[in-house]
Amino acid sequence: MTSDSPSAPETSVPSCYRHPGRETYVRCTRCDRFICPDCMREAAVGHQCVECVNEGAKSVRRPSGAPRGGGDWRPTVTFALIGLCVVAFLGEIASSRFVYELLMTGVAVMPDGSVGGVAEGQWYRLVTSMFLHERPNGDALAITHILFNMWALWVVGPPLERMLGRVRFLALYLLAGIGGSVLLYVLDPGGAAVGASGAIFGLFAAFFVLGLKLGIPVQPIVLVLVLNLVITFAPGTNISWQGHIGGLAVGGLLAAAYAYTPPRLQRMVNVAAPAVVALALLLTVVVKTAAIPGSVL
């Protein structure tokens, strides 16, 4: 194995070629040099450095008025996730059936008298529940559920999406949300929950892990995490702590895999890490379902 610097030991931490004091594990997909978040420019696959983007732009006719230097980057996955949650919230307002048909539960009697849940073969609830939020039902405070989650996604989502890239960011978000649903299913199969909080907690954990790796200040995210955990476990709150902790664990685990993998293995881990986590969650659901009397298994 060779090192970028002839005098550096094999165990040295790579740093950005434009900002030598910044540690990073991301390489430009064109020149293969290490780049920090400030130097990343979204490419068709992965990220490119500023110099490669500018070099490539010389051979492409630029439409009049188009932004330069990677300025056209947008956190499209973050925006799409927020949009899906808002659309789902409007569906909840329109019909209560929209909620109980899609909320997360292991096995429960629904308001229409039917029995539903993951144990009844409705595995889609593991995913759909993360786009639902508390239904207003005349309670003015209920809307704070979706407002806080969407604010958190708006604040934390774009920087994480830029650091990880759209595919890895989406994988982390979805798997963290599913991780929260799975932990609820394992520990309280008769319970019910809605909300993007599990996925949001996964983003908090990922930001903390990547922040430590890249030297980004993490004190604000630690404060937000501590406050939310206090609220989660406070007496009298109707909050699914399993969803929060499950999302936190999965998000932190995936972020650690992305951040601390040696560069030569990065491409493989980008695919393998989410796949392994998804398989582990799948097997957990299968085992739990088989243990519930009368389940589809």
Side-chain angles (χ1 to χ4, degrees):
M1 184 178 73
T2 60
S3 171
D4 288 344
S5 174
S7 60
E10 289 189 344
T11 57
S12 63
V13 180
S15 61
C16 177
Y17 82 94
R18 297 179 74 236
H19 303 94
R22 298 185 185 179
E23 297 179 0
T24 181
Y25 60 95
V26 179
R27 290 176 183 264
C28 171
T29 55
R30 187 169 180 175
C31 68
D32 206 37
R33 290 180 291 187
F34 290 103
I35 50 177
C36 69
D38 288 343
C39 299
M40 295 179 193
R41 298 296 182 265
E42 191 77 15
V45 178
H47 297 86
Q48 292 185 6
C49 65
V50 177
E51 292 181 10
C52 287
V53 169
N54 292 337
E55 184 67 25
K58 294 178 181 178
S59 60
V60 179
R61 291 188 60 185
R62 183 177 297 274
S64 176
R68 296 178 179 273
D72 58 345
W73 184 87
R74 294 291 184 274
T76 53
V77 174
T78 299
F79 293 160
L81 292 171
I82 292 174
L84 286 173
C85 289
V86 171
V87 169
F89 189 68
L90 295 176
E92 295 178 69
I93 295 175
S95 172
S96 60
R97 186 180 182 88
F98 190 87
V99 181
Y100 71 77
E101 287 285 0
L102 299 177
L103 60 76
M104 174 56 207
T105 184
V107 57
V109 178
M110 301 299 161
D112 62 359
S114 63
V115 177
V118 176
E120 296 298 309
Q122 298 171 349
W123 288 40
Y124 59 84
R125 293 178 181 272
L126 296 165
V127 179
T128 56
S129 59
M130 77 176 74
F131 296 101
L132 302 180
H133 289 84
E134 186 176 352
R135 193 166 181 261
N137 286 329
D139 183 1
L141 292 178
I143 197 171
T144 59
H145 188 204
I146 186 172
L147 287 179
F148 172 78
N149 280 343
M150 295 305 97
W151 169 81
L153 182 53
W154 177 271
V155 171
V156 182
L160 274 177
E161 184 175 343
R162 185 152 200 164
M163 283 189 284
L164 294 174
R166 294 188 174 106
V167 175
R168 289 194 298 178
F169 172 75
L170 180 60
L172 188 145
Y173 184 91
L174 293 177
L175 288 173
I178 294 171
S181 296
V182 171
L183 189 61
L184 174 63
Y185 182 44
V186 170
L187 299 181
D188 186 15
V194 296
S197 301
I200 298 297
F201 266 70
L203 297 187
F204 288 162
F207 193 93
F208 175 77
V209 171
L210 293 174
L212 289 178
K213 178 66 177 179
L214 300 175
I216 300 172
V218 296
Q219 291 86 349
I221 207 71
V222 171
L223 177 61
V224 171
L225 260 175
V226 170
L227 288 175
N228 276 275
L229 288 173
V230 169
I231 295 172
T232 297
F233 290 99
T237 57
N238 186 27
I239 296 176
S240 169
W241 65 267
Q242 299 93 337
H244 291 185
I245 299 303
L248 189 72
V250 171
L253 181 65
L254 270 179
Y258 292 148
Y260 292 96
T261 297
R264 67 182 184 278
L265 302 176
Q266 193 67 57
R267 291 185 179 180
M268 180 187 70
V269 171
N270 288 347
V271 176
V276 169
V277 171
L279 180 60
L281 294 174
L282 173 65
L283 292 176
T284 302
V285 173
V286 170
V287 171
K288 181 62 180 180
T289 302
I292 297 178
S295 67
V296 292
L297 296 180

